[in-house]
């Protein structure tokens, strides 16, 4: 989940980026976060499997090449000297998080965290996710903002429960998640940067308190699992902190947008919404199709660690390569009619919304369950859900989703979700 913003921000000022964009550099155009990035994605794809930007970045857009780069060999998140490049940094903890480590260090930390995400354990969250979903939707009896009234509080509650954050600390926790999310977009003002630093310090205190408490009174939550690893000298307290912070950002900023993007595309495809209303069991398919069609994380990156050849082009060691996950997900050589949104789609390889290789999303199963429960509940409770006004897109090239998405629940039986 390296960020396009990070990838590009070291390069130049916004003015220089604008100049390059007017000269036709597609990466520069993406950096400017156009409301609809698809023309830019397509332009990159149409120029061949390997696109070289004048900003010093190389982008790959086909399914085959994204798989090659994400799965290695020859690529990692660190350069040939083991240094973390600016494009791979994410705004968490003082020590590298999972996303900032290559094997073997990555595997060591991942093996310690992974038990907390065992499928059986994650499945046990189902009833709690259903209960939270029900509670949030019970409050709705008229027009509401899909993002702030539903899509945001659902994952923040789930991730708080997963980490065992007490009720009275959750608002603080959510504030930090919001600021960290803005940092991912490169959108922080100087004032917000100070707020973020304060929030990180407060969060570290909170996690330290929780660690001390779980040491004497362990539960089933992620912190309890990780405290045992700290006590067994397998990871340090700093690694635990940075893991918890990554889980907050990764688990929160992404699932929110999965829900928003799903409702948006169901709205633009009324026949698909009608199908979901008739057969709510298709909610899992709707989640999968949304992840393929409009992934919340459209791009990630790696760096070549040796000289490599990609589609006949030689890249020297230490070339930053952006993997265009969104474009690979619509590669017509692997998905028939890739630009059609179809919640009953079958066949084809797994999409790259959760990446691939060693960094494959640890929370994929949790996100799928949350998305499925959310969409099913919306279709069952609000069959006439419809957008009102224009949803406001997040001004970001790194995260695809909405800041605001006003909807109304309509009158039962009077119509289907429509885009405005
Ligand atoms: C729709 C929701 C989600 C999407 C689209 C998503 C997407 C991704 C992507 C693309 C990566 C890999 C980035 C890369 O290869 O550079 C990733 C990694 C990760 N995700 Fe997710 N994620 C989602 C939900 C979650 C949730 C709910 C959690 C946890 C509660 C989570 C935790 C993680 C972690 C810990 C990693 C790092 C794995 C590693 O480096 O080994 N994600 N996610």
């Amino acid at each position: 989940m390296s960020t396009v913003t990070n990838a590009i921000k070291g390069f130049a000022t916004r003015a220089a980026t604008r100049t390059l964009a007017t000269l036709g550099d597609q990466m520069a155009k993406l950096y400017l976060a156009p409301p609809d990035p698809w023309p830019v994605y397509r332009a990159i794809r149409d120029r061949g499997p390997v696109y070289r930007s004048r900003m010093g970045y190389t982008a790959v857009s086909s399914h085959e090449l994204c798989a090659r780069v994400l799965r290695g060999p020859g690529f990692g998140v660190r350069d040939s000297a083991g240094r973390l490049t600016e494009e791979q940094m994410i705004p968490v903890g003082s020590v590298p998080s999972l996303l900032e480590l290559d094997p073997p260090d990555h595997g060591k930390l991942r093996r310690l965290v992974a038990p907390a995400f065992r499928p059986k354990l994650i499945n046990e969250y189902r009833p709690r996710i259903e209960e939270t979903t029900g509670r949030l939707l019970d409050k709705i009896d008229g027009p509401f903002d899909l993002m702030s009234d539903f899509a945001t509080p659902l994952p923040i509650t789930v991730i708080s429960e997963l980490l065992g954050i007490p009720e009275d600390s959750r608002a603080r926790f959510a504030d930090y998640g919001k600021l960290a999310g803005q940092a991912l977009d490169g959108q922080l003002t100087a004032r917000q940067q100070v707020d973020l630093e304060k929030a990180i310090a407060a969060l570290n205190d909170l996690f330290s308190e929780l660690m001390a408490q779980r040491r004497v009174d362990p539960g089933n939550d992620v912190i309890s699992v990780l405290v045992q690893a700290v006590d067994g000298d397998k990871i340090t307290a700093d690694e635990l902190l940075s893991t918890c912070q990554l889980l907050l950002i990764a688990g929160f900023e992404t699932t929110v947008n999965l829900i928003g993007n799903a409702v948006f595309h169901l709205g633009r495809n009324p026949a698909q919404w009608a199908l979901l209303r008739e057969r709510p069991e298709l909610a899992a398919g709707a989640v999968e199709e949304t992840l393929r069609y409009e992934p919340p994380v459209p791009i990630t990156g790696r760096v070549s660690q040796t000289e490599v050849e990609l589609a006949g082009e030689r890249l020297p060691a230490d070339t930053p390569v952006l993997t265009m996950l969104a474009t690979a997900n619509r590669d017509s050589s692997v998905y028939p009619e890739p630009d059609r949104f179809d919640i009953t789609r079958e066949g084809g390889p797994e999409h790259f919304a959760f990446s691939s290789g060693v960094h494959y999303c640890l929370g994929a199963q949790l996100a799928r369950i949350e998305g499925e429960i959310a969409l099913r509940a919306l279709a069952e409770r609000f069959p006439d859900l419809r957008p009102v006004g224009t949803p406001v897109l997040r001004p970001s090239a790194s995260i695809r989703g909405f800041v605001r998405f006003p909807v109304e629940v309509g009158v039962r039986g009077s119509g289907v979700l429509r885009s405005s």
Side-chain angles (χ1 to χ4, degrees):
M1 219 176 303
S2 61
T3 69
V4 181
T5 313
N6 269 3
I8 301 173
K9 79 179 170 202
F11 169 75
T13 61
R14 207 168 168 85
T17 310
R18 279 190 193 287
T19 308
L20 274 185
T22 38
L23 292 173
D25 190 286
Q26 302 300 327
M27 274 300 150
K29 288 187 188 172
L30 264 192
Y31 175 61
L32 298 172
D36 180 5
W38 278 99
V40 184
Y41 293 162
R42 290 193 184 99
I44 291 174
R45 185 191 60 197
D46 292 348
R47 297 207 183 163
V50 177
Y51 175 81
R52 289 178 189 262
S53 159
R54 289 169 72 180
M55 303 178 89
Y57 296 92
T58 295
V60 293
S61 50
S62 69
H63 199 277
E64 186 189 343
L65 286 191
C66 284
R68 163 84 209 286
V69 172
L70 293 170
R71 294 172 192 162
F75 292 93
V77 294
R78 289 172 175 258
D79 68 12
S80 58
R83 282 180 306 241
L84 193 63
T85 52
E86 179 163 12
E87 56 267 24
Q88 298 300 149
M89 285 178 196
I90 51 168
V92 298
S94 53
V95 297
S97 68
L98 275 173
L99 279 172
E100 295 159 311
L101 292 171
D102 278 328
D105 298 337
H106 170 268
K108 182 188 146 229
L109 187 55
R110 176 129 178 168
R111 275 190 293 280
L112 295 172
V113 184
F117 288 86
R118 279 195 313 272
K120 187 172 169 299
L121 212 58
I122 293 300
N123 239 330
E124 284 170 12
Y125 279 95
R126 254 183 194 277
R128 281 146 84 178
I129 299 172
E130 279 164 354
E131 198 259 323
T132 306
T133 303
R135 203 163 11 90
L136 290 167
L137 295 183
D138 281 348
K139 291 187 201 152
I140 289 162
D141 61 357
F144 69 107
D145 179 35
L146 182 78
M147 303 317 287
S148 61
D149 295 329
F150 182 59
T152 303
L154 178 61
I156 199 75
T157 308
V158 172
I159 193 76
S160 298
E161 289 190 357
L162 194 91
L163 289 168
I165 307 290
E167 293 272 352
D168 57 359
S169 303
R170 289 192 184 170
R172 207 167 13 132
F173 188 61
D175 285 348
Y176 170 75
K178 204 168 149 202
L179 278 170
Q182 283 167 332
L184 270 184
D185 296 346
Q187 298 289 328
L188 290 191
T189 60
R191 175 67 198 270
Q192 286 171 322
Q193 187 64 43
V194 173
D195 288 348
L196 178 66
E197 277 157 28
K198 280 194 204 148
I200 291 177
L203 199 77
N204 283 350
D205 290 347
L206 172 64
F207 282 134
S208 303
E209 275 165 38
L210 291 175
M211 278 166 66
Q213 191 237 323
R214 299 297 143 75
R215 189 163 279 133
V216 287
D217 184 17
N220 235 353
D221 58 275
V222 175
I223 296 184
S224 296
V225 171
L226 292 178
V227 160
Q228 288 170 26
V230 174
D231 290 346
D233 283 337
K234 292 182 185 145
I235 60 169
T236 64
D238 280 347
E239 282 173 321
L240 184 151
L241 284 178
S242 134
T243 302
C244 291
Q245 291 177 4
L246 172 64
L247 290 176
L248 167 60
I249 300 181
F252 167 43
E253 280 303 326
T254 47
T255 315
V256 174
N257 297 311
L258 163 61
I259 298 170
N261 294 353
V263 173
F264 180 74
H265 286 295
L266 286 163
R268 295 182 100 187
N269 295 274
Q272 297 287 305
W273 174 249
L275 200 58
L276 182 62
R277 286 192 315 173
E278 279 155 32
R279 296 171 54 201
E281 69 280 7
L282 287 175
V287 165
E288 231 42 53
E289 183 64 344
T290 306
L291 288 167
R292 183 193 72 82
Y293 194 81
E294 198 75 87
V297 180
I299 300 173
T300 191
R302 296 290 183 268
V303 59
S304 58
Q305 295 175 327
T306 55
E307 187 182 275
V308 286
E309 195 189 302
L310 283 184
E313 299 227 16
R314 294 201 91 65
L315 305 186
D318 301 331
T319 305
V321 179
L322 297 176
T323 44
M324 312 285 296
L325 309 179
T327 321
N329 281 359
R330 296 206 201 174
D331 181 338
S332 59
S333 70
V334 288
Y335 302 108
E337 295 187 75
D339 292 324
R340 190 161 58 86
F341 181 79
D342 176 4
I343 66 173
T344 61
R345 184 178 286 275
E346 281 180 356
E350 186 181 340
H351 54 71
F352 285 138
F354 293 124
S355 189
S356 192
V358 296
H359 293 282
Y360 182 83
C361 176
L362 196 55
Q365 191 201 354
L366 181 64
R368 285 181 160 125
I369 293 177
E370 284 181 60
E372 181 198 334
I373 291 174
L375 292 186
R376 185 177 185 129
L378 285 171
E380 284 176 345
R381 287 204 187 202
F382 304 128
D384 301 313
L385 187 72
R386 71 187 70 221
V388 277
T390 312
V392 179
L393 273 165
R394 186 166 166 156
S396 170
S398 307
I399 300 270
R400 181 82 177 136
F402 298 98
V403 183
R404 272 198 308 283
F405 190 170
V407 290
E408 64 180 10
V409 293
V411 180
R412 194 169 277 269
S414 73
V416 293
L417 184 66
R418 286 192 298 264
S419 63
S420 52

